[in-house]
Amino acid sequence: MNGNTIARRVYDFLKDIPPFTFVEEEALLRVSGRIEVQYAPKDHIVFRPGESPKQRFFVVRQGAVELVLPDEEGEEQLVERCGEGEIFGIRPLLAEDTYTLLARAAEDSLLYAVNSEGFKEVLQKYPDVLSYLANSMAVLGRRRSYHYSRYPTDDITPRPKRFLYASNEVGSTDLLELQSIQRAREPVVCSPTTTVREAAEIMTEQEVSSIIIVDESDLPLGIFTDRDIRRNIATGLYSRSLPVGDVMTKPVVCIRPEVTVADIQIAMLRYDIHHVVVTEDGTNQSPVIGVITDHDLLVRQGNNPAVIIQEIRRAKEPSYLQELRERAEFLLGQYLEQEVSISYISTIMTEINDEIIRRCIELSLKEMKQLDQGDPPCAFSYISLGSQGRGEQLLRTDQDSGLIFEDLEDPRAEAIAQTYFSQLAGLVVSRLAQVGFDYCPGNMMASNPRWCRSLSDWKEEFGSWISSPNSESLLNTSIFFDFRNVYGEASFTESLTEFLFERLQQSSLFLNYLARAALQNPAPLTFFRNFMVERSGEHKNQFDLKSRVMMPLTDAARVLVLLAKIGGVNNTFRRYELLAEREPQNAELYRDAAQAYEYLIRLRALFGLRRSDSGRFLEPSELSRLQRILLRNTFTPVKEIQSLLEVRFQLKMLGR
């Protein structure tokens, strides 16, 4: 069978599939002639996350291909199943980036690998193809933002229109506006006489992928991008000492401020570019006011953790970090609505919170330099405590943090370090407050000099709590013993953990005090039909979800893992899972406690999002009948765990 026959058969198949339906026969035959036919047996991997895309995308001729998202634990979540006539892996057509999903043949399949470079020639000639791709991606992104946005959309093809418009949630092809993108990307500019090296240094300092070359009136003359650096400078084609005006790409593609995302996508596809310049009137005869990249489009349309985290790392202002955290809470709401596992949700939200903290630290370190305070005088670790230390802070509550810095022999050097890190921590805490993480009412934050100390001082503090327990130290342990390194020298927290277990071994009586403290909030089972609510104060007649049921489970888990010498695991339900492995005789109880705690986290997050508060206090009337039943069911493991503590630490004999 000759090539023309194969091309004709491919053409006959493609001509009825959007967006190939918009291409004339002669042009589509040329595309068909460059297609590679691939056989993919069942379980064959077409591409993996992190791989650089080859210059092709795929059409399923026969069979089916599944797109899945692997998580850190090796489990896979199905994102999409592509059947006959459906397209996937279009990232090479839209952006120079790696794949985010894994594509695997679900059955023996036949694939058409379409040469994306050749197809770009088609895009330039057929605007309907461009419009279809742009509109479809915009609708898909919008639909996923309304629905369950757990997965990235950029490895998935837009579906044929009969699929896209099937959902009442989508309605029409209303396109997302440009406003939020403009706000996120201020232009970085230079004159044409700036050298290539200086331009690259500016781009690096400003953390941008392009610089706009402008004249004295801020009119755009050209653009210089990372792509230009790779192709023309890194290869030695041009010298770094040349004026950037000699090597810039010109003319620039300009757009008006009011255009839609679809308009921008069409321009990028038509001209095979990754940046467009926003000017006052959409021409190069008016001043530059912004720049938009293909990455910005993915961010605008994608509401998934990877995109949010990537944007956090780029953020320069707390206001943008606040916006990203609000997007994360929108994502949280979707996860809760779809009943995604709390284990997965807490992992994602903890990573987002950690990235925000790390970014605030990085910005604060830069500000310290601007204040002529220089670099840190020694190594340090910024630690999260309490619920964030346990990886359970789904909502933005108050901050619990500390800072550990390196031991220094010279007292003067230690005093200098104390001053520097207290000032740094103050900047970090202030930024986090602007993001929406409230100040701790008890001032248990790194900005408090008491919680900004050398490693030896931290050990001394912990040691005093263990050797001389009192009500204050027992309260402190419930927050500080759930410490976790977020930024800096991880060995400091490892050393502190080792010290903690050594001292506990020397003073076993302390754990008895800790166990007794864990029983201060008995399970709320002493009522009939009605919940045990607060009797007075601001939250009168409300049920305290945290103190009544969550804290008893948290405190008990902490005591039990300390007794079992289990270090490095702070999360409450994961602590119970490990205890279940260690003690088979109590495995059922521990698993019940873990499930109860997961439900309590879910319930608190649901009501916190609904009311825009911490979710700690609930009106019993707010609960549905099923929620009331499930909440009541959590009281039983609380009571049984507390009974286990009483027996294990002989607290009844000691007269607790």
Side-chain angles (χ1 to χ4, degrees):
M1 186 180 294
N2 60 40
N4 289 335
T5 304
I6 296 175
R8 172 57 67 174
R9 287 193 174 184
V10 173
Y11 165 82
D12 288 339
F13 180 76
L14 295 181
K15 64 183 176 63
D16 297 322
I17 300 172
F20 303 107
T21 51
F22 304 118
V23 183
E24 294 175 344
E25 180 177 351
E26 183 180 350
L28 186 54
L29 277 169
R30 286 198 300 271
V31 170
S32 301
R34 301 180 67 177
I35 282 177
E36 177 186 343
V37 181
Q38 296 183 356
Y39 171 67
K42 183 180 179 181
D43 296 328
H44 172 76
I45 304 298
V46 183
F47 54 74
R48 300 176 184 275
E51 282 186 0
S52 297
K54 300 180 177 64
Q55 292 302 323
R56 61 191 180 200
F57 61 96
F58 301 90
V59 183
V60 180
R61 177 61 182 87
Q62 293 178 358
V65 172
E66 291 181 340
L67 299 174
V68 299
L69 180 67
D71 62 21
E72 294 180 355
E73 299 175 356
E75 296 183 0
E76 296 179 347
Q77 300 292 338
L78 180 65
V79 178
E80 200 81 41
R81 185 182 175 95
C82 302
E84 182 176 319
E86 294 183 332
I87 308 170
F88 67 95
I90 62 172
R91 179 179 289 270
L93 199 62
L94 302 177
E96 290 185 350
D97 202 355
T98 58
Y99 290 114
T100 55
L101 301 176
L102 182 143
R104 180 172 52 222
E107 55 189 75
D108 290 349
S109 303
L110 200 63
L111 308 178
Y112 287 163
V114 184
N115 183 285
S116 55
E117 286 299 320
F119 197 68
K120 285 178 181 178
E121 299 172 6
V122 172
L123 297 179
Q124 296 176 12
K125 186 176 179 181
Y126 297 94
D128 285 343
V129 176
L130 290 170
S131 298
Y132 174 83
L133 290 172
N135 283 312
S136 299
M137 287 301 290
V139 172
L140 184 59
R142 183 183 180 114
R143 180 171 143 206
R144 286 180 177 273
S145 72
Y146 284 144
H147 212 53
Y148 179 29
S149 299
R150 178 171 179 176
Y151 308 110
T153 62
D154 42 359
D155 288 345
I156 308 173
T157 183
R159 288 290 173 258
K161 290 184 178 179
R162 58 185 169 79
F163 179 90
L164 286 168
Y165 302 117
S167 171
N168 291 329
E169 294 182 70
V170 179
S172 66
T173 57
D174 293 339
L175 298 177
L176 302 168
E177 294 300 323
L178 181 60
Q179 182 178 358
S180 64
I181 299 176
Q182 280 184 267
R183 188 168 65 245
R185 285 285 180 271
E186 294 295 328
V188 175
V189 302
C190 71
S191 71
T193 58
T194 304
T195 67
V196 167
R197 180 171 184 168
E198 290 169 339
E201 289 173 348
I202 294 171
M203 291 166 63
T204 301
E205 181 181 347
Q206 296 295 320
E207 298 180 350
V208 294
S209 59
S210 67
I211 189 167
I212 313 301
I213 294 83
V214 298
D215 64 12
E216 297 83 354
S217 302
D218 281 338
L219 304 184
L221 302 174
I223 186 170
F224 186 64
T225 68
D226 283 345
R227 195 179 187 187
D228 295 322
I229 294 174
R230 293 195 303 271
R231 291 183 175 182
N232 300 328
I233 309 304
T235 59
L237 190 61
Y238 295 105
S239 168
R240 292 179 297 173
S241 60
L242 283 175
V244 71
D246 292 353
V247 299
M248 67 185 181
T249 300
K250 59 181 181 180
V252 292
V253 176
C254 301
I255 58 171
R256 301 184 310 277
E258 65 272 14
V259 298
T260 63
V261 166
D263 294 325
I264 302 166
Q265 288 177 313
I266 289 171
M268 288 183 176
L269 290 168
R270 177 174 293 148
Y271 298 107
D272 189 22
I273 57 176
H274 303 279
H275 302 74
V276 292
V277 175
V278 186
T279 61
E280 291 180 357
D281 67 3
T283 74
N284 59 7
Q285 298 304 308
S286 63
V288 174
I289 59 175
V291 62
I292 299 169
T293 70
D294 53 1
H295 171 78
D296 296 326
L297 297 187
L298 293 177
V299 170
R300 184 68 178 93
Q301 295 179 43
N303 192 31
N304 64 73
V307 170
I308 292 173
I309 288 172
Q310 192 172 20
E311 279 303 285
I312 289 171
R313 293 170 180 169
R314 295 168 176 253
K316 296 180 180 179
E317 299 294 337
S319 58
Y320 189 40
L321 288 172
Q322 181 182 31
E323 179 183 325
L324 291 168
R325 189 55 176 80
E326 288 168 356
R327 284 174 55 185
E329 287 179 0
F330 179 78
L331 187 65
L332 169 63
Q334 293 176 315
Y335 285 171
L336 294 171
E337 180 184 346
Q338 296 295 323
E339 298 187 356
V340 179
S341 74
I342 286 297
S343 177
Y344 179 86
I345 295 175
S346 64
T347 298
I348 292 299
M349 298 305 294
T350 297
E351 187 58 35
I352 289 173
N353 288 340
D354 285 355
E355 283 296 339
I356 290 174
I357 295 169
R358 284 193 279 265
R359 190 56 180 156
C360 286
I361 294 171
E362 291 167 353
L363 293 172
S364 298
L365 286 168
K366 287 184 179 180
E367 186 174 350
M368 290 293 283
K369 288 186 178 181
Q370 294 169 358
L371 295 172
D372 295 326
Q373 299 302 310
D375 293 320
C378 60
F380 73 99
S381 166
Y382 197 94
I383 59 176
S384 283
L385 310 167
S387 60
Q388 178 61 10
R390 294 191 300 273
E392 298 168 3
Q393 192 179 61
L394 303 190
L395 302 171
R396 280 177 290 183
T397 55
D398 60 325
Q399 302 179 49
D400 290 318
S401 61
L403 191 147
I404 309 170
F405 60 84
E406 183 181 354
D407 288 328
L408 301 169
E409 294 183 4
D410 186 347
R412 290 174 299 179
E414 181 166 327
I416 291 171
Q418 177 77 59
T419 301
Y420 178 94
F421 289 119
S422 293
Q423 185 176 356
L424 172 66
L427 296 175
V428 175
V429 166
S430 176
R431 278 188 166 85
L432 287 170
Q434 293 177 62
V435 175
F437 295 92
D438 293 337
Y439 294 109
C440 173
N443 202 18
M444 293 181 176
M445 299 178 292
S447 53
N448 182 345
R450 185 180 178 187
W451 312 124
C452 177
R453 313 175 71 174
S454 69
L455 178 58
S456 293
D457 284 348
W458 275 98
K459 291 179 178 179
E460 184 177 343
E461 185 78 35
F462 277 21
S464 68
W465 295 346
I466 294 171
S467 60
S468 304
N470 54 44
S471 58
E472 181 186 358
S473 63
L474 290 173
L475 173 63
N476 288 339
T477 59
S478 68
I479 299 171
F480 286 88
F481 278 15
D482 292 334
F483 59 87
R484 182 172 58 84
N485 178 68
V486 176
Y487 183 97
E489 185 54 61
S491 66
F492 291 168
T493 50
E494 294 169 1
S495 177
L496 197 55
T497 299
E498 292 175 5
F499 170 82
L500 179 60
F501 282 116
E502 288 173 3
R503 290 303 301 268
L504 288 174
Q505 199 166 6
Q506 298 169 10
S507 180
S508 58
L509 187 60
F510 174 77
L511 287 180
N512 287 76
Y513 282 100
L514 212 56
R516 187 179 291 111
L519 302 180
Q520 294 305 306
N521 294 307
L525 290 169
T526 58
F527 62 90
F528 180 69
R529 293 185 181 275
N530 296 318
F531 284 93
M532 186 181 292
V533 297
E534 302 303 297
R535 295 182 178 179
S536 61
E538 179 185 356
H539 300 287
K540 183 179 179 180
N541 296 325
Q542 293 181 329
F543 182 75
D544 188 342
L545 196 62
K546 177 180 176 180
S547 66
R548 294 290 184 186
V549 276
M550 296 184 76
M551 279 182 59
L553 289 172
T554 300
D555 292 344
R558 185 184 306 108
V559 175
L560 291 167
V561 296
L562 288 174
L563 180 65
K565 300 181 179 63
I566 299 174
V569 178
N570 290 356
N571 184 274
T572 300
F573 47 83
R574 292 195 178 102
R575 281 173 166 171
Y576 280 122
E577 288 168 358
L578 285 174
L579 288 166
E581 294 175 8
R582 290 284 188 96
E583 302 177 29
Q585 71 277 18
N586 295 313
E588 184 177 356
L589 169 57
Y590 290 141
R591 292 194 181 103
D592 287 346
Q595 291 175 6
Y597 196 76
E598 288 189 29
Y599 176 71
L600 293 168
I601 289 180
R602 183 184 298 277
L603 187 65
R604 181 173 178 178
L606 278 169
F607 280 91
L609 285 175
R610 183 181 302 173
R611 300 188 311 235
S612 298
D613 62 19
S614 71
R616 174 174 176 173
F617 294 94
L618 303 179
E619 295 278 358
S621 59
E622 292 179 290
L623 299 171
S624 68
R625 183 173 181 275
L626 178 60
Q627 287 172 334
R628 291 171 68 91
I629 293 172
L630 293 175
L631 179 55
R632 288 174 190 268
N633 289 345
T634 67
F635 301 164
T636 300
V638 171
K639 179 176 176 58
E640 292 178 353
I641 282 289
Q642 291 186 330
S643 297
L644 183 147
L645 288 180
E646 286 184 330
V647 172
R648 183 155 301 181
F649 290 94
Q650 301 180 346
L651 296 180
K652 285 188 176 180
M653 295 176 61
L654 295 173
R656 78 172 178 89

